Amino acid sequence: MSKDNNIAIKVDNVTKSFKVFYDKPSTLKERLVFWNKKKVDERVVLKNINVDINKGETVALIGTNGSGKSTLLKLMTQIIYPTKGKIKTWGKLTSLLELGAGFHPDFTGRENIYFNASIFGLTRKEINERLDQIIEFSELGELIDNPVRTYSSGQYMRLAFSVAINVNAEILLIDEILAVGDQHFQDKCFAKLHELKDSGKTIVIVSHSMESIKNLCDRAIWIYEGEVREDGKVNDVVKDYIKVCG
Amino acid sequence: MINRIYRYREFLKTNVKKDIRGKYKGSFLGVLWSFINPLLMALVYAIVFPFILKNSQSNYVTFIVIGILPWTFLTTVIQQGTFCIIANGGIIKKVYFPREILPISVATSGLVNFFIALPIIILFCVFSGLGLSWYALLFPLIALTQYILLLGIIFISSAINVYIRDVEYIIQFMVNMLFYGTPVLYSATLFPAKYRWILNLNPMTTLINSYRDIFYYQKFPDFTMLGIVFACSALLLFIGINVFKKLERRFAEEV
């Protein structure tokens, strides 16, 4: 497909800016009445980002709130599109930006596994193959046949995480969702991520937990005010980051 | 695009299922409501209208039922369809999937509901003494044409509605108005021949006439008109897909 066969994600000179409307005209009347006094600011969130992520790499994106790391992750997922530049990905990609997307509270856990996994692009056959694995990982046991609205928030997240992690994509994009469930389940999630990493998956993760990043990732990219400030070995980048922002 | 949608076919399927089953979850009669609703509507019209309109139609209830069901198909799909991107804002912001799936699944669940309601038409035809003829087998062809027409409309309306929320209300008004400009309650022949071409500009006229032809009059529909409507619908669908593709890039930022 490409000459860069080794690359999983290629971010090529990407700039993303959002329009900030002070009074966003969302109705026709407002658009017609205020057409000439629209107050629009362009806020540039990412500036000329160039990042190549190789296959099999585990990369952390770090930075303070509002630095643009989540936006970069969303761009990689193709939820939003860059204002300038290009993003290309090779391989099946799953994003865990939000857990439980498409859950319907009135349906049972089992039915919701089908809904949720289908959003990730799995076919029925693929879901059937993974069903037992997902249920076992969630540790919900018999609760799986109860409507999701009866779940506690922890159980809800456990089910959602179990689906997302078992989708079996080649590239995983994860945004701050590792604070799932109790200590025991968190440990299990990390063990699973290590397992995925060892099996050669590409993982990009946004997190503020430096300990878990150092533990899991090889490489870290520090995003500072929309630009790449440092890109390198995880220990070095984290050390510098803590020096400045810690 | 077709390739991408095919890959996400399970999502399309569960979405359609969720639409049909989820809509009536918690109600006692469940899916039966998709029968009862248009049926009650037809009965109300059948009771009220003979008083207002002098109609010479025999089997007026059957006549209306054949018109009402396709009309319900249109209104549900257009109402839900126009709103479908905004309604799914939550997942659009969080997960990647081909956005086209959303309007497609609204139209498809409408079509499935329409087929589920088909026995009503058949029952009315049989019990009113009209009987059923082989022409009824043309039903899927007409329904498919209507499906393509509706799909084209909601591709455009759902995408624009993200940016200009008024579309919802404009469309609702237009649909309400169009009801009287479509021969649902009356026969197109009631119109003076001089002005009938105006009625024929409305694609629903041809579609409802065709449904009536195969069930009520039991003859071949006007294939020329049906062909024109089919071609226009296909063109509209093509335009709709392109408009949708242009506008979908900023859905996640705007919903």
Side-chain angles (χ1 to χ4, degrees), chain A residues 70-81:
Chain A
S70 293
T71 305
L72 183 57
L73 211 59
K74 278 190 184 172
L75 284 165
M76 290 176 178
T77 327
Q78 286 181 308
I79 292 174
I80 54 178
Y81 293 84

Side-chain angles (χ1 to χ4, degrees), chain A:
Chain A
M1 234 190 283
S2 130
K3 52 184 191 245
D4 318 295
N5 260 334
N6 233 350
I7 291 178
I9 305 170
K10 189 174 179 65
V11 180
D12 190 8
N13 212 13
V14 161
T15 298
K16 177 73 193 172
S17 52
F18 289 106
K19 286 190 183 132
V20 184
F21 297 94
Y22 289 96
D23 295 296
K24 191 172 172 258
S26 64
T27 67
L28 198 60
K29 181 199 88 193
E30 286 168 19
R31 250 170 223 257
L32 290 174
V33 175
F34 301 120
W35 64 277
N36 54 352
K37 44 180 166 181
K38 239 191 266 168
K39 215 177 156 192
V40 188
D41 271 0
E42 286 245 319
R43 198 175 61 222
V44 181
V45 186
L46 292 171
K47 276 170 265 178
N48 304 322
I49 304 275
N50 280 298
V51 173
D52 285 350
I53 290 168
N54 293 323
K55 286 195 174 142
E57 248 182 341
T58 311
V59 182
L61 299 177
I62 56 177
T64 48
N65 290 140
S67 56
K69 46 192 188 333
S70 293
T71 305
L72 183 57
L73 211 59
K74 278 190 184 172
L75 284 165
M76 290 176 178
T77 327
Q78 286 181 308
I79 292 174
I80 54 178
Y81 293 84
T83 316
K84 261 185 272 169
K86 253 191 215 151
I87 291 195
K88 266 190 142 176
T89 57
W90 288 270
K92 192 177 160 67
L93 183 148
T94 303
S95 59
L96 286 69
L97 302 184
E98 168 99 336
L99 292 172
F103 270 23
H104 196 302
D106 282 336
F107 288 107
T108 67
R110 193 186 296 271
E111 287 169 308
N112 271 303
I113 291 177
Y114 282 96
F115 292 148
N116 195 220
S118 68
I119 294 184
F120 291 123
L122 262 59
T123 60
R124 186 159 200 95
K125 192 167 147 256
E126 287 170 320
I127 300 172
N128 282 333
E129 283 163 15
R130 290 177 179 76
L131 193 63
D132 290 334
Q133 209 180 333
I134 292 170
I135 296 173
E136 198 200 308
F137 193 87
S138 70
E139 297 179 6
L140 283 168
E142 289 160 13
L143 282 178
I144 200 69
D145 288 315
N146 288 6
V148 163
R149 69 182 136 78
T150 64
Y151 288 13
S152 74
S153 53
Q155 287 165 339
Y156 185 92
M157 292 314 255
R158 258 158 48 192
L159 179 64
F161 187 82
S162 309
V163 179
I165 207 78
N166 282 302
V167 165
N168 214 12
E170 284 138 52
I171 307 171
L172 266 162
L173 307 176
I174 304 171
D175 191 1
E176 319 249 23
I177 51 161
L178 293 175
V180 178
D182 46 25
Q183 192 58 46
H184 158 73
F185 194 73
Q186 274 189 39
D187 293 344
K188 203 167 136 181
C189 291
F190 268 100
K192 181 78 188 178
L193 284 177
H194 273 286
E195 190 191 308
L196 290 171
K197 179 188 168 183
D198 293 337
S199 66
K201 311 273 184 210
T202 312
I203 302 174
V204 181
I205 184 166
V206 166
S207 177
H208 289 290
S209 156
M210 293 304 145
E211 278 318 302
S212 34
I213 284 176
K214 274 201 269 187
N215 187 306
L216 183 70
C217 304
D218 324 308
R219 179 180 160 195
I221 299 169
W222 175 9
I223 309 233
Y224 182 76
E225 293 188 346
E227 285 171 291
V228 176
R229 171 128 170 200
E230 205 181 330
D231 180 353
K233 283 244 160 59
V234 68
N235 283 325
D236 305 340
V237 179
V238 167
K239 212 165 72 189
D240 292 342
Y241 174 73
I242 288 174
K243 230 185 280 168
V244 177
C245 303

Side-chain angles (χ1 to χ4, degrees), chain B residues 59 62-63 66 124-133 215-216 218:
Chain B
N59 285 316
T62 314
F63 182 82
I66 296 170
F124 267 91
C125 284
V126 170
F127 284 103
S128 65
L130 281 171
L132 215 57
S133 70
F215 287 117
Y216 188 85
Q218 310 196 338

